[in-house]
Amino acid sequence: MLLLVLDLLGIAVFAVSGALLAVRQRFDIVGVLVLATLTGLGGGWIRDVLIGVAPPTSLEDWRYLTVPVACGLVAFWFHPALERVDRPVIVFDAFGLGLFGVAGALKAAEHGAGPVAAAILGMVTCIGGGIIRDVLAGRAPVVLTTGELYAIPALAGSAVAAAGFEVGLPTVAVAIPAAALTIGWRLLAIWRGWKAPLPKSS
Amino acid sequence: MLLLVLDLLGIAVFAVSGALLAVRQRFDIVGVLVLATLTGLGGGWIRDVLIGVAPPTSLEDWRYLTVPVACGLVAFWFHPALERVDRPVIVFDAFGLGLFGVAGALKAAEHGAGPVAAAILGMVTCIGGGIIRDVLAGRAPVVLTTGELYAIPALAGSAVAAAGFEVGLPTVAVAIPAAALTIGWRLLAIWRGWKAPLPKSS
Amino acid sequence: MLLLVLDLLGIAVFAVSGALLAVRQRFDIVGVLVLATLTGLGGGWIRDVLIGVAPPTSLEDWRYLTVPVACGLVAFWFHPALERVDRPVIVFDAFGLGLFGVAGALKAAEHGAGPVAAAILGMVTCIGGGIIRDVLAGRAPVVLTTGELYAIPALAGSAVAAAGFEVGLPTVAVAIPAAALTIGWRLLAIWRGWKAPLPKSS
């Protein structure tokens, strides 16, 4: 139950980021709802397609579909207010990141992915939606270009979860420290201004 | 038989729009054919991947592959003439929209998707190809940004079809009114200039 | 064994092209590694998704994952040196093209794709990664716009391989001439400056 709430909260944060970008790029109502939905659920859909879960779980569950649509409608009407709540959103987003990565890695492992593939698919669950959002909005994918420490903490948590599953630890014992690693690393990176390296100019 | 002809006609209209955009963006012959094919068939491929039909049906059927390739070749050589037949194409496109959405929703439902997922997948069948086309051609997806009433009538028809399937009505009794809803709404929107709302500027 | 080495070499050449483009576009380390991996392996993942192989084979094999990651790291640190070795890379790339197309077509055929679908999926294996690379980097897909003879030789070799499989020839007897056709045509096209046609301006 708590997990479901956290999961939906993570989806909501992602969906709002998609909807706000769509509003800024002057998408219409369809574009805002589609971008909110793809940003919130797209990473999980890519993961489900790659592990052969068809149709993707969240496409079948009205609770998972309602959240991004509601977020999209709120953003469509109240975007000026939403643009002002950056700080708390960054913290929710870190929790969503931890949860998505670990849940994604464990789901992949349960469907037969090996530990390396499961770790990668956990990261894909986290960053897939944002990449779809940025491609459709016509900008360089934020998660690949800004040096923000985002995909790396997600991969770390996913890898811990996948490794724990591989050696047979109980899910809870694996999921909590794995998610904590992602969330802690991400929050520390924001707080201390840590960045991933950029290539040297040639 | 009639259904097949209508289906191929819908694909042809989509394929021509992809091929003409490719010509305008100075794609080469490969690009024109690839864009024609992805625009004509890509929405159905995304649907098939999401419901676990592999390989996608239209990738296995030479009739479905021949149409976009032929359209691409015609557009490659005769694009100045094709650019001039906008009006009739908009009507064919509305028929293709109704057909694609309903057929897509019913196919998804037959492969085990629930009614909500089936309705969404019907819409995906309609708009997926055009979104791929626009992303590859480097422009904002028309279906998400122009306020054209396109995805919404498609979703409405798909939803009716999916609901009818869910309650066990015979396919024909479901498909005809569902497609008529999409086609009628779309044609009315063009004729009366109805638009989907855009976000207010902040 | 030789096949595996050639396969990994082809992936490496693709991965380097993705990593160098990412460096030029000022992606961060995550972006460089993701683009290297998607360029090297993405075409095969699209093929695997379309034929229902989940998870994709190369996502489960650490040797296939190590190559693009290593290439990405090398490109991240030594890109000025790498930018200077264009000539030999073009030859390796032609070999990779021949190999990817034929192996992709045969894999698709073995998983139940008909000969036409298998030929197309062989070409998709070749050009899918490069298209993902260019879309994520925000440029027009090179393989669709430059008139380079690239996809056409790949499709020719894939078609020969798929046809040979269809009539029941042994794999080796099919694969070698099919790959030779792609590689020879590609190298001749580079050497003689052959191009695919572009549309006439209207």
Side-chain angles (χ1 to χ4, degrees), chain A residues 189-200:
Chain A
I190 296 168
W191 182 41
R192 309 296 299 258
W194 294 341
K195 294 279 175 184
L198 282 148
K200 266 171 285 186

Side-chain angles (χ1 to χ4, degrees), chain A residues 63-147:
Chain A
R63 295 170 306 182
Y64 280 81
L65 291 166
T66 306
V67 167
V69 169
C71 290
L73 291 173
V74 168
F76 186 79
W77 280 304
F78 305 111
H79 50 97
L82 269 176
E83 295 276 11
R84 268 175 263 128
V85 291
D86 239 33
R87 261 294 137 195
V89 162
I90 262 183
V91 174
F92 284 133
D93 185 84
F95 277 85
L97 190 71
L99 208 74
F100 272 36
V102 169
L106 291 175
K107 182 171 184 187
E110 278 163 15
H111 282 82
V116 176
I120 292 171
L121 288 168
M123 184 184 71
V124 166
T125 311
C126 294
I127 69 174
I131 292 175
I132 295 175
R133 173 198 66 203
D134 293 340
V135 166
L136 289 179
R139 71 173 186 189
V142 167
V143 72
L144 304 180
T145 52
T146 57

Side-chain angles (χ1 to χ4, degrees), chain C residues 101-115:
Chain C
V102 170
L106 292 175
K107 182 171 183 185
E110 278 162 16
H111 282 82

Side-chain angles (χ1 to χ4, degrees), chain C residues 25-112:
Chain C
Q25 306 281 64
R26 311 284 311 144
F27 279 39
D28 60 29
I29 181 76
V30 170
V32 171
L33 295 180
V34 166
L35 220 61
T37 304
L38 287 175
T39 312
L41 305 178
W45 292 354
I46 296 177
R47 178 205 56 218
D48 283 356
V49 163
L50 288 174
I51 58 175
V53 172
T57 317
S58 67
L59 190 61
E60 285 287 13
D61 187 330
W62 65 269
R63 293 170 306 181
Y64 280 80
L65 291 167
T66 305
V67 167
V69 169
C71 290
L73 290 174
V74 168
F76 186 79
W77 280 303
F78 305 111
H79 52 95
L82 270 176
E83 294 277 10
R84 268 175 263 126
V85 290
D86 239 32
R87 261 295 135 193
V89 161
I90 263 184
V91 175
F92 283 133
D93 184 83
F95 277 85
L97 191 71
L99 208 73
F100 271 36
V102 170
L106 292 175
K107 182 171 183 185
E110 278 162 16
H111 282 82

